[in-house]
Amino acid sequence: MFLKHALYREDIEQAAKISWLPWEKLHGESVLVTGATGLIGTCLIDILMEHNRISGEAPIEVYALGRSEARLLERFSEWKDSPAFHTVIQDIRSPLPEDLAFSYMINGASNAHPAAYARDPVGTILINIEGLNSLLSHAAAHGTKRVLEVTSIEVYGQNRGDVDAFTEDYCGFIDCNKARSGYPESKRVCEALCQSYRAQHGLSVCIARPSRVYGPTMLKDDNKATAQFIHNVLRGEDIVLKSSGKQRYSYTYMLDVATAFLTILLLGEDGEAYNIADDHSIVTLGGLAERMAEQNGCKVVYDIPNASEAAGFSNLLNGVMDAEKLKALGWTAMVDMDNGIRRTISILKEQEN
């Protein structure tokens, strides 16, 4: 699996001993991670378990929630025999077992790519809202110290043209009368739901708003543009870009997003939202495609998306994020874009062989 690749293990080992995290807050505590086999959840669990391996302190009890036990045990084969690793097998929308209590929860479960938004817009909304409500109600009843809710850059809506980068207090336009708006609108509701539990039940919550994320732990069915570029490269094809490529976004390597989650969970101010973005990884979509193509000896081909593909695409044209608030907690990105692309392609090529 991933940990057998030297570059991925290097990433995880580096993150598991970063100096700005108060790891002592987690020693002997329990952490529930939903979306456990996703792009960031996978990396996050590996970091927590690797920290257990190297710290010599009371272990962090890590609970990975997913619907398939076989998939969880296959993905986390390195850790499945550890007494500190546990699986919780269920749909996130179902009530959590009453005999389980967690010190911390990190909710990363969501339909998180355009094909899912287009194929199952109703499920996209309900997974976000009903799933989070299930977690928050359990947390409030069982004394959870903090819940970290993962939303998205999409909560900002369209940039009105009045800022170069989104700060956490920005609010742009979303046309709620479109099926594609179910994802960003439900993420907005999730943030409001967190604040409601905080006000009504005294639950400590923080919000993480990641930029566009890439890395080797992406799911095989991920069809976000970045993932499609990577799939093209792995198949030895030219990169296919299904737009003009002028959209300008912030990007962040999955390792840096995972360490940001831990930073916000342990150091963030109660009730606050934090952008997660590497300010050295701001590029147009076309520029990203060209960068990948140059690294891998192929070219970029522009193509028109079909109706099904276009139905799931974001309309956001300027998605740059300001992460100064997060950096003030001590977080810094460790992997720049060129290095992140190289590491992603290298790791995935070895995984396929």
Side-chain angles (χ1 to χ4, degrees), residues 48-343:
L48 293 171
M49 292 302 298
E50 178 65 16
H51 181 78
N52 280 345
R53 190 184 70 81
I54 65 177
S55 72
E57 302 292 340
I60 306 163
E61 299 292 328
V62 178
Y63 289 79
L65 186 149
R67 287 175 292 184
S68 169
E69 184 175 26
R71 184 176 176 186
L72 285 167
L73 294 179
E74 178 186 11
R75 172 58 193 85
F76 299 109
S77 58
E78 180 98 358
W79 312 118
K80 66 181 181 180
D81 295 325
S82 168
F85 178 77
H86 315 271
T87 59
V88 181
I89 312 304
Q90 64 170 81
D91 188 297
I92 189 176
R93 290 169 286 187
S94 301
L96 288 165
E98 284 297 320
D99 61 339
L100 290 181
F102 310 100
S103 308
Y104 299 95
M105 293 182 180
I106 300 174
N107 181 31
S110 181
N111 281 346
H113 57 88
Y117 308 153
R119 181 179 62 249
D120 186 18
V122 173
T124 296
I125 294 172
L126 296 181
I127 287 170
N128 287 342
I129 297 173
E130 292 182 348
L132 175 62
N133 186 59
S134 176
L135 297 184
L136 293 175
S137 63
H138 187 92
H142 291 79
T144 295
K145 294 181 179 181
R146 171 163 285 179
V147 176
L148 177 68
E149 167 65 4
V150 180
T151 62
S152 168
I153 184 177
E154 292 205 26
V155 299
Y156 291 113
Q158 289 289 347
N159 189 319
R160 301 188 301 265
D162 53 347
V163 297
D164 183 61
F166 297 137
T167 53
E168 286 80 358
D169 59 352
Y170 190 82
C171 189
F173 171 75
I174 297 175
D175 183 354
C176 63
N177 199 30
K178 292 183 181 298
R180 175 57 179 81
S181 299
Y183 178 74
E185 290 283 26
S186 61
K187 285 297 190 181
R188 283 186 170 184
V189 171
C190 284
E191 294 199 7
L193 188 60
C194 284
Q195 297 299 342
S196 298
Y197 267 89
R198 180 171 174 262
Q200 189 168 333
H201 298 287
L203 186 63
S204 178
V205 297
C206 276
I207 309 294
R209 297 173 179 165
S211 66
R212 278 162 170 72
V213 186
Y214 69 98
T217 52
M218 67 184 195
L219 298 174
K220 290 184 178 179
D221 62 351
D222 190 337
N223 78 322
K224 292 191 291 291
T226 312
Q228 291 187 44
F229 299 167
I230 292 167
H231 289 314
N232 291 146
V233 169
L234 292 173
R235 292 192 295 261
E237 303 168 348
D238 290 330
I239 290 175
V240 179
L241 183 57
K242 292 182 176 291
S243 71
S244 66
K246 295 178 181 178
Q247 307 94 313
R248 184 168 168 261
Y249 301 138
S250 294
Y251 293 88
T252 314
Y253 188 57
M254 49 90 203
L255 183 82
D256 291 320
V257 178
T259 62
F261 284 3
L262 293 173
T263 303
I264 299 166
L265 180 75
L266 299 175
L267 294 171
E269 184 177 343
D270 183 24
E272 291 297 309
Y274 294 86
N275 289 341
I276 303 172
D278 175 10
D279 55 13
H280 297 295
S281 298
I282 299 170
V283 66
T284 64
L285 191 59
L288 175 63
E290 295 289 351
R291 191 174 297 193
M292 284 193 184
E294 183 178 352
Q295 277 194 19
N296 294 282
C298 56
K299 64 178 184 291
V300 177
V301 176
Y302 291 80
D303 190 22
I304 302 298
N306 61 42
S308 176
E309 290 169 326
F313 288 175
S314 169
N315 293 318
L316 183 62
L317 299 178
N318 185 8
V320 175
M321 303 176 81
D322 182 321
E324 290 302 313
K325 186 175 175 181
L326 173 62
K327 289 162 67 177
L329 299 180
W331 176 87
T332 185
M334 297 184 290
V335 181
D336 63 59
M337 176 166 276
D338 285 332
N339 193 21
I341 292 171
R342 279 192 293 269
R343 297 174 91 84

Side-chain angles (χ1 to χ4, degrees), residues 14-34:
Q14 181 183 15
K17 54 188 178 186
I18 52 179
S19 60
W20 68 79
L21 279 176
W23 292 103
E24 65 277 3
K25 289 186 177 182
L26 293 177
H27 295 154
E29 302 287 0
S30 56
V31 180
L32 175 71
V33 179
T34 73

